[in-house]
Amino acid sequence: MRKIVSLAVLSILCIVAPYCQTPTTLNSPIAYDSDLNMFGNQSEYENVIGIRTAFNNARRREELQFCLPTNSIPNLQMPSQSTWNNMNTDERFLYLANAERMSRSGLDYCQGDGPVKGIPFTGIEANIDNIAQTHAEYLISIQSRDAESQAANIDANPNIGGSGCTTDKLTMPNCCHSFLPWSVYRISFTSMETPSNPNTITTTGIGARSVYYCVYGNGAIGNGRRMLLMQDVEQGGNTADPCGFTDDYGDIGDEGFLGVGVAGGVPNPTTTTATHIDMVILSYFDPVPQSNGCNYNCTSCTSCPVNRNLNSNQIASGNYQASNSIKSATTVASNRTVNMQAGSFLQLNSSFEVKSGAIFSAIIDGCYFTLN
């Protein structure tokens, strides 16, 4: 489908973008403690109160490892227990991962390279999710924990790959992804439990446990934390040689598609005395702009509205999308940035106004979905 794009910038402010630091790795892991009133480390991974307590305790202890004031990482807010119970592993993982990514917005970890941007993942994407799941099942089938790069599988995928893809971190013109530093990360949980069906997942609360492992547990002193909290520039990187997300797909302020694979089975007996293992594989990619026409399938996102009316007195900064049309009679105030994108037409009524110092763009292009 041919897409016609028109862009009108009525007034432009000179803005210097901050250096978007990825939070640094921890100096040492933080044990999961879901009940601060009990002695020892309690491990409640299913109850929302226990999860909230453990994550908030970890946030306080992370602050102590760096130059962060107490409560500078806001407390985790959890949904109701019934809502949490109805979420699958992917949804739980995404909820907690994005909560961790956004909670550090604006913080400086005293590494000399500026504040964290704090953008969330756009969502779970079906193709990368299937790649992660296939790899988790493959490792279980060969009784191995040696995860392999998924770059070739991403390249070869008809929806998120493309003939122009390479392992280069820069976007290729006919490629449906930009690579990030890691295309795969493996977490495994072993136990002495032997279920009647070895494919059963025995690790309770595997979503919460996996995110905690990456951000605060043993993965927090290595690539697990770097991967899950990756921003525009990776830890230790620089703006002249970025190796992180480029916020150029969908709404401004979220970027990156995530896949989560989980499989259970029998471990290699030469590597552990346990009789059961649960394998978790994380993969992700940075999508290219929507105008490239790639066929992404975000399973956790909300579909765009067909038509949209924007008639508040003063519209807030942000992206406003509709698959067919947008009509507006509002005011774009000074120091605000508003982008309107519709598949067929935009109708700006006579009372529509853009104040001096504001940035406004009107784009005719397809709308696919928005972040939940």
Side-chain angles (χ1 to χ4, degrees):
M1 179 180 69
R2 183 182 180 188
K3 297 179 180 178
I4 302 173
V5 179
S6 63
L7 176 65
V9 179
L10 303 186
S11 181
I12 300 177
L13 293 175
C14 294
I15 300 174
V16 178
Y19 195 95
C20 303
Q21 175 195 20
T22 293
T24 188
T25 52
L26 296 186
N27 298 322
S28 59
I30 299 170
Y32 191 97
D33 195 341
S34 56
D35 190 339
L36 304 185
N37 296 317
M38 294 180 66
F39 177 76
N41 302 121
Q42 310 302 314
S43 300
E44 173 52 72
Y45 293 102
E46 293 282 359
N47 182 278
V48 294
I49 296 175
I51 295 170
R52 183 178 64 222
T53 300
F55 275 74
N56 288 337
N57 175 57
R59 293 181 181 194
R60 302 292 80 78
R61 294 178 63 186
E62 175 178 326
E63 292 162 352
L64 293 174
Q65 291 193 18
F66 301 101
C67 64
L68 301 175
T70 301
N71 297 320
S72 58
I73 306 176
N75 282 336
L76 171 66
Q77 302 300 315
M78 290 291 290
S80 68
Q81 188 66 56
S82 61
T83 299
W84 187 253
N85 292 344
N86 289 325
M87 295 168 69
N88 61 34
T89 298
D90 281 3
E91 292 168 336
R92 292 182 178 189
F93 193 100
L94 179 66
Y95 181 92
L96 291 172
N98 277 347
E100 291 299 324
R101 292 175 62 81
M102 293 185 290
S103 68
R104 290 162 174 79
S105 177
L107 295 185
D108 190 330
Y109 279 75
C110 301
Q111 307 300 308
D113 49 6
V116 175
K117 188 173 184 181
I119 62 172
F121 290 117
T122 297
I124 301 291
E125 200 279 331
N127 294 282
I128 192 67
D129 205 41
N130 289 335
I131 287 173
Q133 183 63 35
T134 298
H135 195 52
E137 293 173 0
Y138 169 74
L139 292 178
I140 288 293
S141 70
I142 64 172
Q143 294 182 295
S144 173
R145 288 191 289 183
D146 295 329
E148 301 173 356
S149 169
Q150 295 303 290
N153 290 329
I154 296 172
D155 280 348
N157 186 279
N159 297 312
I160 64 175
S163 59
C165 297
T166 71
T167 55
D168 193 289
K169 63 191 175 187
L170 301 178
T171 303
M172 303 300 291
N174 56 340
C175 181
C176 284
H177 64 264
S178 295
F179 272 109
L180 294 174
W182 303 281
S183 62
V184 65
Y185 185 74
R186 185 268 300 164
I187 308 166
S188 61
F189 302 108
T190 57
S191 71
M192 301 305 295
E193 187 174 350
T194 307
S196 57
N197 178 0
N199 295 324
T200 300
I201 304 300
T202 63
T203 301
T204 58
I206 198 166
R209 189 170 179 180
S210 297
V211 173
Y212 192 94
Y213 178 92
C214 289
V215 180
Y216 301 108
N218 289 338
I221 56 175
N223 288 345
R225 182 177 165 97
R226 291 192 184 107
M227 177 178 181
L228 213 58
L229 301 184
M230 175 68 67
Q231 298 292 311
D232 286 8
V233 181
E234 69 173 315
Q235 178 189 333
N238 61 79
T239 52
D241 184 26
C243 200
F245 290 106
T246 302
D247 190 358
D248 57 0
Y249 175 82
D251 288 349
I252 296 172
D254 63 81
E255 188 74 8
F257 281 129
L258 181 69
V260 182
V262 182
V266 180
N268 188 320
T270 65
T271 60
T272 178
T273 58
T275 57
H276 184 85
I277 187 170
D278 291 329
M279 187 73 62
V280 181
I281 292 293
L282 310 180
S283 290
Y284 62 9
F285 69 93
D286 188 5
V288 297
Q290 288 175 229
S291 57
N292 288 35
C294 298
N295 190 25
Y296 303 132
N297 180 11
C298 181
T299 61
S300 64
C301 297
T302 300
S303 298
C304 284
V306 176
N307 300 304
R308 196 166 188 175
N309 291 315
L310 302 173
N311 294 316
S312 60
N313 291 332
Q314 289 191 358
I315 191 169
S317 294
N319 278 10
Y320 299 88
Q321 301 185 65
S323 60
N324 182 49
S325 70
I326 294 179
K327 299 178 182 180
S328 182
T330 190
T331 297
V332 181
S334 300
N335 301 321
R336 294 188 181 180
T337 299
V338 172
N339 304 309
M340 296 184 187
Q341 178 174 317
S344 297
F345 70 92
L346 290 101
Q347 179 178 311
L348 305 179
N349 295 339
S350 59
S351 57
F352 180 84
E353 183 181 4
V354 178
K355 295 291 188 180
S356 176
I359 300 174
F360 170 71
S361 65
I363 304 172
I364 304 301
D365 202 353
C367 170
Y368 299 95
F369 37 68
T370 58
L371 182 66
N372 272 338

